[in-house]
Every structure is written in C-alpha cells, then in structure tokens.
C-alpha cells in the first residue's frame, strides 16, 4: 500500500497500551509502515483462507470429493491455500502431499491455477490474485454453497 504510492495513512491513534508496555504518537509515526501493512495483509489473508475453508467444511463435509469437477477444483484449491497459511502464516508454502492436489485447478470466472510443480514452493500473492482474488474466492464459495443447498 505505501510503497505502491496508494497515498498516506491517516490515523487519529495517539497511543497504544498493552499491559505494562505502551507507546505514543512518536513511536507510531516512526513505524515501518510498509512492513506494518505487509503484516496486516498477511494476517488478513491467512484468516480469510482458513475461515473460508472452515465454512465450506462445515456446510459440505465431503466437499473434497464433490462430484462436479469444477466445484471440486474450487474446494480443493481453497483447502490447499488454507493449508499453506495454516502451516506457516508468514511464509506460506504449497504443501501438496496429496498427489491429486498437484494439478491445474479450474476455478470460477475462467481462472486457472497450475500447482502441478508447486509442491514445497512459496505461495505468491499472484497465485490467489491478491486481495481481489480472495474476495472472488469468497464470493464463489457463497454461490457454491447456495447452489449446493449448503446455505450462504
């Protein structure tokens, strides 16, 4: 956000206190804003990937064996993304121990992700199309849940 020249970060935050540790405006202004933004993005991405897979698992427990191939690709890709962030949130890696996950996934919206040769490699934000891609994954999940009778 900051390195991309998206603008300034405006805040009225004057201080933070957590038990015996606290810091004020001077410390807040001296923060490495690029690193802070990166950290927040990683936390949000990790939480979203895990929460999305959990919601799908609750509503469609057998989703990874779903009969319709495109929906199954979606469910499996979300699971792979969840695994990557759950195992190491700040350096997610494709953990594709299940050989059937090492393939090209066809996702909603003419989106294809090839994980054929990615086992053990770093997850790149481009793999899930950054924040916009995560929103698309969530929207697709809501649509699939509604279509399969799993709710939304």
């Amino acid at each position: 956000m900051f390195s991309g020249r998206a603008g300034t970060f405006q805040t009225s935050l004057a201080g933070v206190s957590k038990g015996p540790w606290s810091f004020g405006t001077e410390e807040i202004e001296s923060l490495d804003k690029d690193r802070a933004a990166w950290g927040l993005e990683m936390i949000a991405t990790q939480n979203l990937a895990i929460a999305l897979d959990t919601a799908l698992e609750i509503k469609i427990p057998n989703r990874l064996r779903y009969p319709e191939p495109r929906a199954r690709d979606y469910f499996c890709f979300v699971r792979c993304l969840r695994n990557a962030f759950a195992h190491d949130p700040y350096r997610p890696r494709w953990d594709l121990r299940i050989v059937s996950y090492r393939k090209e996934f066809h996702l909603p919206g003419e989106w294809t992700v090839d994980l054929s040769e990615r086992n053990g490699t770093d997850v790149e934000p481009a793999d899930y199309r950054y924040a916009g891609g995560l929103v698309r994954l969530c929207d697709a999940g809501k649509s699939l849940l509604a279509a399969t009778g799993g709710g939304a």
Side-chain angles (χ1 to χ4, degrees):
M1 177 174 141
F2 295 100
S3 293
R5 303 185 209 301
T8 59
F9 184 67
Q10 300 295 323
T11 180
S12 59
L13 186 63
V16 175
S17 178
K18 180 77 173 160
W21 302 281
S22 64
F23 53 96
T25 304
E26 184 178 325
E27 290 86 358
I28 291 170
E29 292 301 318
S30 69
L31 288 175
D32 180 342
K33 293 175 180 64
D34 284 330
R35 187 169 181 201
W38 174 85
L40 290 173
E41 179 182 347
M42 292 302 290
I43 291 167
T45 301
Q46 171 201 12
N47 287 339
L48 185 58
I50 292 170
L52 176 58
D53 184 61
T54 300
L56 295 169
E57 182 177 31
I58 289 168
K59 295 293 188 173
I60 307 173
N62 202 25
R63 73 205 180 288
L64 302 178
R65 291 185 183 88
Y66 202 77
E68 199 280 306
R70 231 168 146 85
R72 186 175 56 247
D73 269 8
Y74 168 81
F75 294 134
C76 289
F77 178 76
V78 168
R79 183 63 179 184
C80 291
L81 188 61
R82 173 254 181 241
N83 287 347
F85 280 96
H87 294 193
D88 190 343
Y90 289 99
R91 188 170 180 217
R93 299 174 69 80
W94 292 113
D95 185 4
L96 308 171
R97 286 179 242 171
I98 298 172
V99 177
S100 63
Y101 288 165
R102 299 177 192 176
K103 60 176 250 167
E104 187 173 84
F105 290 90
H106 300 281
L107 305 173
E110 303 307 313
W111 175 4
T112 301
V113 180
D114 189 357
L115 298 182
S116 303
E117 303 293 325
R118 299 294 304 277
N119 186 41
T121 66
D122 290 344
V123 173
E124 302 294 335
D127 293 338
Y128 54 85
R129 292 189 176 179
Y130 306 89
L134 292 173
V135 170
R136 289 180 68 187
L137 286 173
C138 287
D139 287 344
K142 287 172 33 178
S143 295
L144 281 168
L145 286 172
T148 60

